[in-house]
Amino acid sequence: MDMIGFGARDEFLKRLVDDLSLLITEAEDVTIEKESFRRFSKYVDHLRALLQDLRAKRVYDKPEWAASSSVLQKLHSEVRKARDIIKAYNSGSRLQLLLKCKTMLSQLKKSADEIASIIQQLSLAKLDSMLQLKSKADEIIHGMWSVEFKSAAATEAIVSEIEESIAQNSRSQDHTMRLLHQIADAVGAAPNVSLVRSEIALLKQEKEEMEAQKQHAEALQLSQLIHLLYSSEMITSPPPESPTIMSPRNYLINSFTCPLSCKLMEDPVAIVCGHSFERNAILEYFRIGMKVCPTCNNELSSLDVTQNISLRSSIQEWKQRNAKLRLQSAVSSLDSDDHEVLNEALEILLAVMENTSYIAEVSQHGIAARLVDLLKTGEVNTKAALKCICHLAHYSEENKKTIAAKGVIRCIVKQFCRGETEPEGLVILLELSENEVFADMIGKTKDSIPCLVSLLQNSNPDISQKALNVLGNSETRANMAKELTRMHLWESTARHFDNERFISALTKTLYSSSQDYKLKCLGCIKKLLAFPRLVRKFLSDRNTIPALHGLIQSTISNQQLKQEAMEILLLLVEASEPNDYQTNPSLEELHSQHNINVFLQLASTANTQIKASFLHLLLLMAQKSENARLQIRSDQSVIAHLFSILEGDSRREVRVQVLKLTCSIAEGHPAGVQLPPSPLKETAIATLLNIFTSSTNTEERSAAAGIIGRLPSDDTTINEMLCKSETLKAIHEVVCANDSRYQGMSRESPSPLATTSNCLLENTLAVLLRYTEPNKPELQRQVSKLNVSPSLIHVLSTGSSLAKQRAAIALYHLSQSSHPDTATTTAMADQAQGFFLLFQFRRLLQLKSWCGSSTAALHQSLCTVHGSACSSRHALCLVEAGAVGPLVQTVVSELATSASEAALVALDTLLKDDAYLSSAAAVIVENQGMTAILEVLDKGRLSTKEVALDLFYKILRHSEIAREQSLRSRGILISLLRVDQLKKKAALVLSQMDAIPHQSSYF
């Protein structure tokens, strides 16, 4: 249309307007369902007026209108289609029009909707001057969509009676006359001879057309309508045709049956000879090479198939009639005393209700109560009865009320108790449980909850899931929770509760007004939290933590309720992971400053058990959240509060939680433990020192030591208090006790007591490091008076990784000494050289397995590195103390931890004095130090490798290494040239070994 001139466009609009006028006239001529056609004509008339306005305004001259040309073509086509539909029915028999009324109305509804959709596509909004027309178009669109082409109940009743008369061959004159009056009234005609004659003539004409087209089923139906009209006896009936041995009903059924599959056709198609078959059956027939009609055996000129819409419509209408007749028969049979008749009726009802469109009609018969009565007898098909009840319960609340009042709940529970578990019974309970009244009835019915809970373990997943869904409803939750707490749950059982809907339903019970309900629910949750998969589910549920928090803070919650809620909250926070704080806002909110202050306040006023729980919760929050740690640490009032609890509460379980919390918030912070201002600071320190030195509880002492070890290191007040206290004595006692504790003890699976003792040792060594720091001479002098080095060396063999690290650092500190003057250094160097020669001579003697007594005595009295100078040194001699071997072993055994690096740093102190480099290097090599260093360079951590390279370089300059070690070291060092942080140091060592030039690019 876009390619034609403006005159042609105007002519096209005129034709479209004319067609709309004809459509209006033809719609007004339809004699049935006049209201639907009146409304349809009204909006068609509005559309005609709209197009006339468009034509008058010559909108097709405007560029914006170009896109609408193709839309108008589609509109024209759809208007023609609507006219064809109406003409097809108006031109035929009015009786046939009545029978096909539903099909016609359906077709027109689709046409009206399509017209509305096409109008939507018109580009009216793009034209500024068209805004008024746009609103008119919208009115037409909504109007078209609102037209309900629906046959009236009276029309449907007449059609049903006509079809029933045909099917049952009911053609008495009185019956037909009464029916004829109803038909005439429906089509707006007089029930006289003229009507009957004209209808018969039209039907005969249509019948001949159907026969010519070989549409036998349609022709048969028209023949039956003709016989129906003749039975009115208003005009003389012609002589009967050749007799048939089949009743019209059976003949009708046979004409709807596919000759190939012998089944009722669902998708009938016609082939070129006019016979109809089921689509799949005839296509398969053609696929195997057949080219003749299965019915008439005529050769087919084409294998094309055409959908037989008329036959399909007839089959559908017959099926509907048949279903209604079967339904009426089944409903009547429900009053029978014959079990076979009852079971057959139930099967028919069930088959009819499988098509949901019939459930409303079944419900109108009021059979719900009768079905429950039959179910109670136990003498009918239980499954069929349950399914029928299920359909009715799903349909309406009225049916639910009826079956509940009739006792269906108790009946189903009894079946469960007898082991008769049908999924349909659970579906009925689930339908009922959606209503709070009926859900309460389920919960209060005897044995219902135990039965439902036991079904959670059913091997049939469909049954266990349905039972879970029933239990998840509000009024059954409290009773279910009580039963669950009594059950012994296994992992296989717990998986049934891994359901978001169930978890959410359970946690919502915590908002109940009944404290008894809440306690039952908390007991159930606590039991389920024994299974990790369910812990994750409760953590992901956004109601769980707010509900628990609310119970803990509530002023109306009793002590037991608060304690139970707190225990569950502790379990959840302890199990939480970092990503949980991102996905669950309520978990993040729990760690807010406000809630931290609330928990501290509650801890101050609560009794011992709940106070310890509040403090333990704060501890877990600090351990799980960096943000929580910072908030607690940054609030001076919180710090003061914690230390006031520590000082004022003598109960151990409370003090332990305060100590652990204080230690936790200081962990990893460069400033250490945050202390309250003086004089509270001194009081707090005194309390900590007193606990560490005097407490008999290992856990309490360990926590106190953890805090002392993290106190600010440059605080002179703290150092003075440490000097004056019995702390060092307590340190000595703990470290020395470690020696005897490990004798004969297996380290494969440490007990909780051993774990606590390990923690005490680790924290005590942290305190010791405050005394051994070289810049604190007064504290270091106190340490030197105690012989702690043997115990520290023993820790290197028996302690945890952290304990070994701290022991190595302490040995490093203790081995530091002030450098002697030049003269002393020279003398010491000469002496060291002499003793180095003696040391080499001793090695030679050892190789020859001979040792003189005088030489042995001399060796025992003098250090192999420092000689007699050790006696004048204030610092610890690692060689004389026998620490070199254990330090080397620590380097190797703790490759993956910081203890390895600490041990290397301690060994490096032997090489600090130039006077003893050769002898010190020889001692390290003698104790397999080079092997350990190579292990670090090969497999150690990056920072440890840096220390190892420095040590390797020093030893290499002053001692020889075995050829095998030299070869291995070259390979390892070359590989380190590829590591940016290490390549320069590795190159320096390689150049020392003459493996690469001294002027290498690596420098």
Side-chain angles (χ1 to χ4, degrees):
M1 183 175 169
D2 291 332
M3 303 301 294
I4 58 179
F6 294 143
R9 293 177 183 176
D10 183 69
E11 180 61 28
F12 175 81
L13 274 177
K14 181 179 181 301
R15 288 201 308 273
L16 179 54
V17 169
D18 291 343
D19 274 336
L20 288 170
S21 299
L22 292 172
L23 177 60
I24 294 168
T25 302
E26 289 160 355
E28 289 172 349
D29 289 342
V30 178
T31 56
I32 59 172
E33 306 301 339
K34 286 186 171 292
E35 178 57 26
S36 294
F37 284 95
R38 185 193 66 76
R39 283 176 54 80
F40 177 65
S41 297
K42 170 186 172 183
Y43 292 111
V44 173
D45 187 39
H46 289 347
L47 176 58
R48 178 178 62 179
L50 175 66
L51 294 178
Q52 286 172 336
D53 283 350
L54 292 174
R55 186 178 172 220
K57 293 178 184 290
R58 297 180 63 84
V59 295
Y60 45 75
D61 294 347
K62 300 184 179 183
E64 295 90 340
W65 187 250
S68 297
S69 299
S70 60
V71 177
L72 287 175
Q73 286 180 330
K74 288 195 289 184
L75 178 61
H76 192 207
S77 174
E78 196 58 43
V79 169
R80 287 282 180 88
K81 188 185 295 184
R83 286 189 61 203
D84 290 342
I85 293 169
I86 294 174
K87 281 195 292 185
Y89 289 101
N90 271 350
S91 61
S93 158
R94 281 178 280 189
L95 181 57
Q96 182 77 328
L97 171 63
L98 197 61
L99 288 172
K100 302 293 184 181
C101 173
K102 185 180 289 187
T103 303
M104 178 188 67
L105 293 174
S106 175
Q107 291 173 343
L108 273 177
K109 176 59 179 170
K110 288 180 181 177
S111 186
D113 289 345
E114 184 62 25
I115 290 171
S117 298
I118 293 170
I119 296 170
Q120 270 190 316
Q121 300 173 32
L122 289 172
S123 304
L124 297 179
K126 294 181 180 179
L127 301 169
D128 294 338
S129 60
M130 297 294 103
L131 292 177
Q132 187 176 0
L133 295 179
K134 176 69 170 63
S135 63
K136 290 180 180 179
D138 290 340
E139 181 185 351
I140 296 168
I141 291 165
H142 294 307
M144 285 287 189
W145 282 339
S146 67
V147 175
E148 290 189 5
F149 287 100
K150 191 174 181 181
S151 55
T155 305
E156 297 242 352
I158 295 170
V159 170
S160 179
E161 191 165 355
I162 293 172
E163 291 172 342
E164 190 173 341
S165 296
I166 294 172
Q168 296 180 351
N169 201 19
S170 303
R171 299 200 185 111
S172 68
Q173 197 265 343
D174 291 340
H175 172 80
T176 304
M177 283 303 298
R178 182 176 57 81
L179 185 57
L180 185 61
H181 277 79
Q182 293 176 353
I183 294 169
D185 185 57
V187 299
N192 51 29
V193 174
S194 175
L195 172 65
V196 174
R197 185 176 287 112
S198 64
E199 283 297 301
I200 289 176
L202 287 170
L203 288 171
K204 283 183 175 180
Q205 181 182 342
E206 291 177 22
K207 176 175 173 288
E208 289 172 1
E209 291 173 358
M210 293 297 103
E211 288 174 343
Q213 297 171 17
K214 298 187 177 181
Q215 296 184 15
H216 304 298
E218 290 80 353
L220 173 64
Q221 188 179 41
L222 291 169
S223 178
Q224 291 169 330
L225 290 173
I226 293 169
H227 289 310
L228 178 65
L229 291 175
Y230 275 129
S231 65
S232 67
E233 299 181 7
M234 296 183 73
I235 60 174
T236 305
S237 174
E241 297 176 1
S242 57
T244 176
I245 59 173
M246 292 188 226
S247 69
R249 178 184 178 87
N250 288 335
Y251 184 77
L252 186 64
I253 295 174
N254 288 339
S255 67
F256 292 160
T257 302
C258 173
L260 288 171
S261 66
C262 299
K263 294 179 181 178
L264 192 68
M265 287 184 277
E266 297 286 340
D267 184 13
V269 293
I271 58 178
V272 291
C273 65
H275 292 106
S276 293
F277 305 88
E278 179 64 29
R279 181 187 294 275
N280 290 338
I282 192 64
L283 290 178
E284 177 62 20
Y285 178 79
F286 289 157
R287 190 187 67 79
I288 62 176
M290 305 303 291
K291 296 183 179 180
V292 296
C293 173
T295 301
C296 65
N297 288 324
N298 290 335
E299 181 118 12
L300 300 173
S301 59
S302 168
L303 299 183
D304 292 340
V305 297
T306 305
Q307 188 176 25
N308 193 333
I309 297 174
S310 177
L311 178 57
R312 183 175 183 176
S313 176
S314 298
I315 292 172
Q316 291 298 325
E317 290 172 1
W318 176 83
K319 286 170 71 176
Q320 291 173 6
R321 289 196 307 272
N322 189 50
K324 289 180 180 179
L325 293 172
R326 294 178 71 208
L327 173 59
Q328 292 170 358
S329 174
V331 170
S332 302
S333 299
L334 289 179
D335 293 326
S336 173
D337 294 328
D338 189 322
H339 294 154
E340 289 186 6
V341 173
L342 287 171
N343 283 331
E344 184 180 357
L346 288 172
E347 291 292 344
I348 292 172
L349 280 174
L350 183 57
V352 170
M353 283 194 285
E354 291 297 333
N355 185 337
T356 55
S357 60
Y358 289 105
I359 296 178
E361 188 170 345
V362 176
S363 184
Q364 289 173 1
H365 286 281
I367 61 172
R370 176 58 180 159
L371 290 173
V372 177
D373 287 337
L374 291 174
L375 185 66
K376 288 179 181 179
T377 65
E379 297 176 352
V380 294
N381 185 333
T382 301
K383 195 175 189 70
L386 286 170
K387 283 185 175 181
C388 290
I389 295 171
C390 186
H391 282 305
L392 292 173
H394 182 71
Y395 176 72
S396 72
E397 288 295 313
E398 189 62 34
N399 286 340
K400 290 179 184 177
K401 188 184 297 184
T402 300
I403 64 173
K406 267 292 184 179
V408 74
I409 298 172
R410 182 61 184 152
C411 180
I412 292 171
V413 170
K414 283 183 176 180
Q415 289 179 350
F416 293 163
C417 292
R418 294 194 299 265
E420 301 169 11
T421 310
E422 296 289 350
E424 291 75 20
L426 287 164
V427 174
I428 293 170
L429 294 184
L430 186 58
E431 287 285 349
L432 293 173
S433 67
E434 292 175 357
N435 181 300
E436 288 189 4
V437 175
F438 304 140
D440 187 52
M441 291 174 66
I442 294 172
K444 292 179 179 178
T445 298
K446 183 182 177 183
D447 300 324
S448 65
I449 298 300
C451 281
L452 288 167
V453 171
S454 66
L455 289 178
L456 295 174
Q457 302 179 60
N458 194 284
S459 58
N460 184 336
D462 184 43
I463 289 176
S464 60
Q465 183 61 45
K466 284 182 170 61
L468 177 62
N469 291 341
V470 176
L471 290 170
N473 284 274
S474 58
E475 296 302 320
T476 57
R477 288 196 293 261
N479 290 320
M480 174 222 40
K482 182 179 178 181
E483 291 299 325
L484 276 177
T485 55
R486 295 176 179 175
M487 288 178 64
H488 184 77
L489 297 180
W490 301 96
E491 184 70 36
S492 57
T493 311
R495 68 178 175 81
H496 295 297
F497 302 99
D498 189 358
N499 180 284
E500 289 181 6
R501 180 181 171 189
F502 168 76
I503 297 293
S504 178
L506 192 60
T507 54
K508 285 177 182 176
T509 306
L510 296 176
Y511 294 105
S512 168
S513 58
S514 167
Q515 297 221 3
D516 182 51
Y517 275 19
K518 293 174 185 175
L519 275 174
K520 291 174 182 175
C521 183
L522 288 171
C524 177
I525 293 174
K526 196 172 178 181
K527 186 153 192 172
L528 294 175
L529 289 179
F531 303 95
R533 64 192 297 169
L534 294 178
V535 173
R536 303 305 311 158
K537 282 292 182 184
F538 278 104
L539 268 173
S540 61
D541 181 76
R542 299 195 174 194
N543 289 318
T544 307
I545 289 176
L548 294 169
H549 191 191
L551 289 177
I552 293 167
Q553 285 190 266
S554 174
T555 55
I556 62 172
S557 296
N558 60 37
Q559 200 66 23
Q560 183 186 3
L561 202 58
K562 288 185 177 183
Q563 185 63 38
E564 290 285 329
M566 176 59 77
E567 289 178 12
I568 293 171
L569 188 57
L570 287 172
L571 289 170
L572 291 174
V573 174
E574 187 169 18
S576 64
E577 297 174 359
N579 64 320
D580 293 325
Y581 293 82
Q582 300 172 3
T583 58
N584 192 339
S586 60
L587 188 60
E588 187 177 5
E589 173 63 23
L590 185 71
H591 293 67
S592 67
Q593 185 68 56
H594 170 74
N595 283 330
I596 289 170
N597 291 331
V598 167
F599 290 138
L600 271 173
Q601 184 61 38
L602 291 170
S604 302
T605 57
N607 62 27
T608 305
Q609 187 177 8
I610 195 75
K611 176 180 283 191
S613 296
F614 279 123
L615 292 168
H616 185 46
L617 176 61
L618 287 168
L619 170 62
L620 290 175
M621 289 163 60
Q623 291 173 340
K624 294 288 182 178
S625 168
E626 174 67 24
N627 186 47
R629 281 200 298 276
L630 290 174
Q631 287 179 356
I632 297 173
R633 182 184 176 83
S634 61
D635 193 329
Q636 278 291 338
S637 63
V638 172
I639 300 298
H641 202 147
L642 287 173
F643 279 108
S644 67
I645 294 175
L646 185 63
E647 182 185 356
D649 201 317
S650 60
R651 291 167 294 191
R652 181 175 297 153
E653 58 268 39
V654 174
R655 292 203 306 182
V656 166
Q657 296 302 328
V658 173
L659 290 167
K660 286 184 174 181
L661 176 57
T662 307
C663 189
S664 176
I665 61 176
E667 189 172 354
H669 199 283
V673 174
Q674 186 81 1
L675 292 169
S678 296
L680 293 177
K681 181 179 82 170
E682 288 76 8
T683 304
I685 295 169
T687 302
L688 290 169
L689 295 177
N690 182 57
I691 293 171
F692 177 60
T693 57
S694 305
S695 176
T696 58
N697 181 267
T698 302
E699 188 177 20
E700 190 176 19
R701 291 187 74 190
S702 175
I707 297 173
I708 297 168
R710 291 178 173 86
L711 290 173
S713 60
D714 56 351
D715 192 310
T716 55
T717 302
I718 297 173
N719 292 338
E720 288 174 4
M721 294 182 73
L722 286 172
C723 261
K724 295 175 183 178
S725 69
E726 297 290 319
T727 304
L728 191 56
K729 182 180 177 181
I731 292 172
H732 187 258
E733 171 241 315
V734 171
V735 177
C736 291
N738 179 64
D739 296 353
S740 59
R741 185 167 61 85
Y742 275 96
Q743 291 177 4
M745 183 182 292
S746 171
R747 298 179 61 206
E748 292 182 1
S749 54
S751 65
L753 179 60
T755 303
T756 306
S757 298
N758 281 338
C759 187
L760 173 60
L761 176 62
E762 291 167 355
N763 290 337
T764 300
L765 289 170
V767 180
L768 176 62
L769 292 180
R770 293 186 63 91
Y771 283 84
T772 62
E773 290 176 10
N775 62 346
K776 297 176 181 174
E778 184 61 34
L779 291 176
Q780 202 174 56
R781 273 194 293 274
Q782 287 192 357
V783 177
S784 64
K785 296 175 183 178
L786 300 172
N787 189 22
V788 295
S789 57
S791 298
L792 291 175
I793 293 168
H794 190 71
V795 170
L796 294 177
S797 303
T798 61
S800 65
S801 295
L802 182 57
K804 289 178 181 180
Q805 178 190 355
R806 289 174 176 170
I809 295 172
L811 289 170
Y812 162 72
H813 286 166
L814 293 172
S815 66
Q816 300 298 296
S817 64
S818 57
H819 295 289
D821 56 32
T822 305
T824 307
T825 302
T826 303
M828 290 170 61
D830 292 341
Q831 187 186 57
Q833 182 63 28
F835 278 100
F836 176 64
L837 293 174
L838 179 62
F839 175 67
Q840 296 285 20
F841 179 64
R842 171 181 167 269
R843 291 181 63 193
L844 180 61
L845 293 179
Q846 286 177 334
L847 290 173
K848 294 181 177 180
S849 301
W850 176 85
C851 181
S853 60
S854 60
T855 306
L858 178 62
H859 170 66
Q860 288 176 358
S861 62
L862 297 173
C863 171
T864 56
V865 174
H866 307 107
S868 60
C870 275
S871 60
S872 62
R873 286 165 58 94
H874 294 293
L876 171 71
C877 176
L878 296 178
V879 180
E880 194 175 34
V884 177
L887 284 169
V888 169
Q889 183 58 38
T890 301
V891 171
V892 178
S893 64
E894 297 293 334
L895 279 177
T897 72
S898 298
S900 180
E901 184 177 342
L904 284 172
V905 171
L907 288 170
D908 188 55
T909 60
L910 289 171
L911 304 174
K912 293 295 183 183
D913 289 339
D914 293 341
Y916 309 110
L917 282 174
S918 296
S919 55
V923 169
I924 294 174
V925 173
E926 175 74 10
N927 283 275
Q928 303 300 315
M930 288 304 290
T931 302
I933 290 171
L934 289 176
E935 283 294 305
V936 171
L937 294 177
D938 189 23
K939 303 173 183 176
R941 302 158 75 226
L942 183 61
S943 60
T944 312
K945 286 180 179 181
E946 288 194 69
V947 178
L949 278 171
D950 291 335
L951 193 57
F952 193 161
Y953 180 69
K954 291 178 183 179
I955 294 172
L956 194 62
R957 292 181 61 192
H958 299 282
S959 180
E960 293 184 359
I961 61 175
R963 183 173 180 276
E964 295 81 4
Q965 288 181 334
S966 177
L967 291 173
R968 184 189 177 203
S969 64
R970 290 187 184 211
I972 294 173
L973 289 167
I974 289 171
S975 69
L976 294 180
L977 293 174
R978 294 191 292 269
V979 182
D980 289 342
Q981 298 95 318
L982 303 177
K983 64 182 180 182
K984 286 187 179 181
K985 289 186 177 182
L988 186 63
V989 178
L990 284 167
S991 68
Q992 179 69 25
M993 300 170 69
D994 294 326
I996 63 172
H998 289 276
Q999 301 301 320
S1000 172
S1001 61
Y1002 288 107
F1003 299 107

